[in-house]
Amino acid sequence: MRLPRFWLHDYCRPELDTPTLAERLDLSGTKVERVTRYGVDEIGRFVVGRVLEAEPHPDADRLRVCRVEVGDGEPVRIVCGAPNVAAGQSVAVARPGAVLPDGRRLEAVALRGIVSEGMILAEDELGVGSDHDGILVLDDGLAPGTPLTEALPIATDVLELEITPNRPDCLGVFGVAREVHAVTRASLRDAPWKEDPGSFEPEVAGARVTVEVPELCPRFTARVFQDVRLGPSPLWLKARLTAAGQRPISNVVDITNFVMLLTGQPLHAFDLDRVAGGQLIVRRARDGEEMDTLDGVRRRLDSDVVIICDEAGPTSIAGIMGGARSEVSDSTTRVLLEVATWVGPNIQRTSTRLGLRSEASARFEKGLSPGSTLEAQAVASRLMIECCEARLAPGTIDIGGPGPDPGPIRLREARVERLLGAPVSRERSAEILRSLEFEVSDAPDGLDVLVPHFRRADVTREVDLIEEVARIDGMDKLPSTLPARREAVGRLSPTQSLRRTVEDALSGRGLHEVMGWSFTDRGLADRLRLPADDRRRRAISLINPMSEEQSLMRTTLLGSLLDQVRHNRARGAQDLSLFELGAVYLEREAGVRGSGSSGPTPVEERPTPVEEPLHLGVVLSGRVRPPTWRSPEPPGVDFFAAKSVLAAFLDTLRVPWTVEAESEPFLHPGRSAAVLVAGERAGWLGEVHPLVAAEWDLEAVAGFEIDLDRVFAAVPGDARYRDLVTFPAVREDLAVVVDAEVPAARVVDVVRSAGGPTLASVEVFDVYRGEQAGEGKVSLALHLEFRAPDRTLTDEEVARQREEISRALTDEVGGTLRA
């Protein structure tokens, strides 16, 4: 909303400069997006002049040479091309050095051989209207040389406001003036609707209204004006509309726009002689019904659209735009002025469906008060009489009325202090609420407050009144205090705690967290080479996506992680270690209930069709570590680099895990594995297939993706510590030769099982393939550590365990020990 400051000053004139006023409004909740300057510059160069002579130019038929008195010594000579310039007129003059609204700076220039020492101005050249057919003629009572600012609002600051949906009362100039009055304590003039020239007989001669859908039209009012003289609006009205961003059209249309901008309530003028039968009917449109709107478009309607029609059909789309058939024209002499209230959600749906937004719809969809209708009627009636010389017919059609009047809300002084953390006196609270036009009376423990009609949708509880007191008294004054709460202890939930443990473990390994979009494009499944029957290909489509590239919900984190790698490498970052924690979105498989459910599903309860498991994704690209003088070319990332990161966080959570060979369509054959947690598949690990990496213009990439919900379910309870230092460990190494197809993990499992309770740990520290191992064989070097909790182990005990291990390796994996 654009608020010209000179229009604000019609009702409230705070003694503050514009930046300070904008800050005060910001702090009270009325956000000022920006402040702009409207109109002319160098205002001292604009004065009132009087034309003494207007003679034809000797060398130009359409120009006149004028002698103009400007109150500064001798009259000046100005060459003017306006057809209506004449001697004796008071006019607006721009002297050399003046800057017009379009940025032009005037200089004394020769026009067909005669120097013009200024410019006699038209409306549009001052920014107070749109007329350029002739010069602007002022009232004769203005003395030559009078600053033009005393006669016309030729320059002003304009506050561009962002009004929140709960404050439609601030979509009018007077509503903002009320806020300014409250926050600055500047005096507020009477409301512009205080005096109403209309009468309130229920019937109006020559007009009838029927409302068939009162649930969508809570109130409908109408008045009739006769002997209307259509023409241009007065200059003061044009100036306010132009500064507020509206183009003046004619006095009747300008009055409807002016009243809407002033009160926040839209209204519409019908040519009553073009309303068939003199009757308006408010109803739902019929499916397929059509009408021509004022923007020249023929629109097809349906039964969700509320229309105003007459005996010949639709005349306007309720709350959005009028129709061409009944619009006001140059021949109009009788006007029916409609001011109604419409249900906001219906207006919003209709506006969106038809692709038709207007100043009216932007206001109605926020939910206007039925009480505003007669306020707008009062202002419009006065202006129709004043600016159109119209005669107001007796009576006012009023269907629906103002609605129920809610009772008072108790505002307790102690509750104010408890909620805000600081006391606000009862007197100050009453002063603030009265400045906002709340009715206030004393109560035993505080105040009884009646909410004005224009705030009833927003202020319904005591806490809402406290918010009003706090924002006007000053949120910046409130101390930083914690709310008083009993038995409230802040702590993380178990899942939050585990999630932080994962983040700490990964960041401690030097990984950086990224956050990708939850959306992806339709081509991702093809780039990842997912087969047709893969569950991850069945992505959830968005009904209203932001773009085609974000039209599906992601089923894997890999796509967004590869996007991040490509983005960073394109900007010079070569060695990347990234992780992301986030949900993926999968169609629920048949027969699978929502998490945490048990027992049969009630008939009325259906599980959600989408699963949203929490996943962890990690990708590594580039080198495993930075180069040094001892290692100028470190190795690149591979399967085992990713596995070491996987181990870092799974071991931190103390969950039992292992990996087994498995292929994924987007992973390198032979360099991929499934990750098992507590015996169940929880994700994948491996190097990204070169063809998949090439889709992102990448080379070697390794990583993994794990279902954290499965991992967290396997986390054991409280950790129990055991003695590791009282009795020493016995450490031995052995090398075993097995077939190359035997996984190392299988060998380690056999050793653990055969080693008994005294085998504390086993790990592979070397792999050898070569002539000494034999063709198709591999030699694994294992480091074993034996320890007993209650004694020092003897060599004989360790030797027996070693024999058991050797026998198990031979029997279960066909292994032979190397000397």
Side-chain angles (χ1 to χ4, degrees), residues 192-193 195-200 219-225 255 259 263 265-268 335-340 371-385 392 395-398:
W193 49 80
E195 297 180 2
D196 186 353
S199 60
F200 294 93
R219 192 175 194 182
F220 192 104
T221 70
R223 284 180 176 175
V224 171
F225 299 86
I255 286 169
V259 174
T263 67
Q265 169 70 52
L267 53 168
H268 183 68
V335 168
L336 186 149
L337 193 65
E338 166 258 313
V339 187
S372 299
T373 54
L374 287 183
E375 294 174 351
Q377 284 281 16
V379 180
S381 297
R382 178 171 53 81
L383 292 176
M384 288 289 290
I385 295 170
L392 176 58
T396 301
I397 296 174
D398 186 2

Side-chain angles (χ1 to χ4, degrees), residues 92-315:
V93 175
R95 303 297 306 277
V99 179
L100 300 181
D102 60 6
R104 286 182 296 158
R105 180 179 292 274
L106 292 184
E107 302 293 346
V109 295
L111 297 174
R112 294 292 183 94
I114 296 179
V115 175
S116 181
E117 301 175 69
M119 185 175 182
I120 302 176
L121 302 165
E123 285 182 8
D124 64 332
E125 292 165 332
L126 280 171
V128 295
S130 58
D131 186 11
H132 191 69
D133 292 338
I135 61 167
L136 179 62
V137 180
L138 306 176
D139 293 337
D140 291 337
L142 297 169
T146 302
L148 195 55
T149 53
E150 296 183 15
L152 296 172
I154 60 174
T156 186
D157 289 333
V158 177
L159 284 71
E160 296 190 20
L161 307 177
E162 180 184 326
I163 306 302
T164 53
N166 65 317
R167 294 301 307 275
D169 58 298
C170 287
L171 286 169
V173 172
F174 190 79
V176 181
R178 186 189 298 118
E179 291 288 307
V180 173
H181 161 65
V183 299
T184 67
R185 302 190 183 185
S187 61
L188 180 69
R189 290 184 58 187
D190 289 339
W193 49 80
K194 183 178 181 181
E195 297 180 2
D196 186 353
S199 60
F200 294 93
E201 294 88 347
E203 295 184 359
V204 178
R208 290 173 296 143
V209 175
T210 302
V211 177
E212 296 182 357
V213 284
E215 71 279 8
L216 297 176
C217 178
R219 192 175 194 182
F220 192 104
T221 70
R223 284 180 176 175
V224 171
F225 299 86
Q226 298 174 340
D227 302 329
V228 176
R229 295 186 63 179
L230 211 73
S233 297
L235 200 56
W236 65 265
L237 196 156
K238 287 183 178 181
R240 281 155 178 76
L241 288 180
T242 305
Q246 293 278 343
R247 182 175 64 88
I249 299 172
S250 68
N251 49 8
V252 173
V253 176
D254 293 349
I255 286 169
T256 62
N257 288 330
F258 177 88
V259 174
M260 178 184 67
L261 294 176
L262 175 60
T263 67
Q265 169 70 52
L267 53 168
H268 183 68
F270 293 86
D271 184 333
L272 186 54
D273 291 325
R274 301 171 72 178
V275 175
Q279 180 179 15
L280 294 180
I281 302 169
V282 180
R283 61 171 173 83
R284 292 180 182 270
R286 302 182 183 93
D287 288 333
E289 199 165 13
E290 295 183 341
M291 69 167 290
D292 296 324
T293 48
L294 288 174
D295 58 357
V297 177
R298 188 163 189 82
R299 300 186 183 277
R300 189 177 181 86
L301 312 176
D302 58 41
S303 58
D304 281 341
V305 178
V306 179
I307 59 172
I308 303 174
C309 64
D310 58 17
E311 292 181 357
T315 64

Side-chain angles (χ1 to χ4, degrees), residues 37-43 46 99-101 125-127 154-156:
R37 185 72 178 169
Y38 180 81
V40 302
D41 203 358
E42 300 290 345
I43 58 176
F46 293 85
V99 179
L100 300 181
E125 292 165 332
L126 280 171
I154 60 174
T156 186

Side-chain angles (χ1 to χ4, degrees), residues 14 117 135 141-142 155 168 307 349 363 367 404 446 498 575 580 594 697 758 781 816-817:
E117 301 175 69
I135 61 167
L142 297 169
I307 59 172
R349 285 195 301 270
R363 286 165 167 77
L498 290 172
D575 302 329
E580 179 178 0
D697 298 323
T758 59
T816 57
L817 295 185

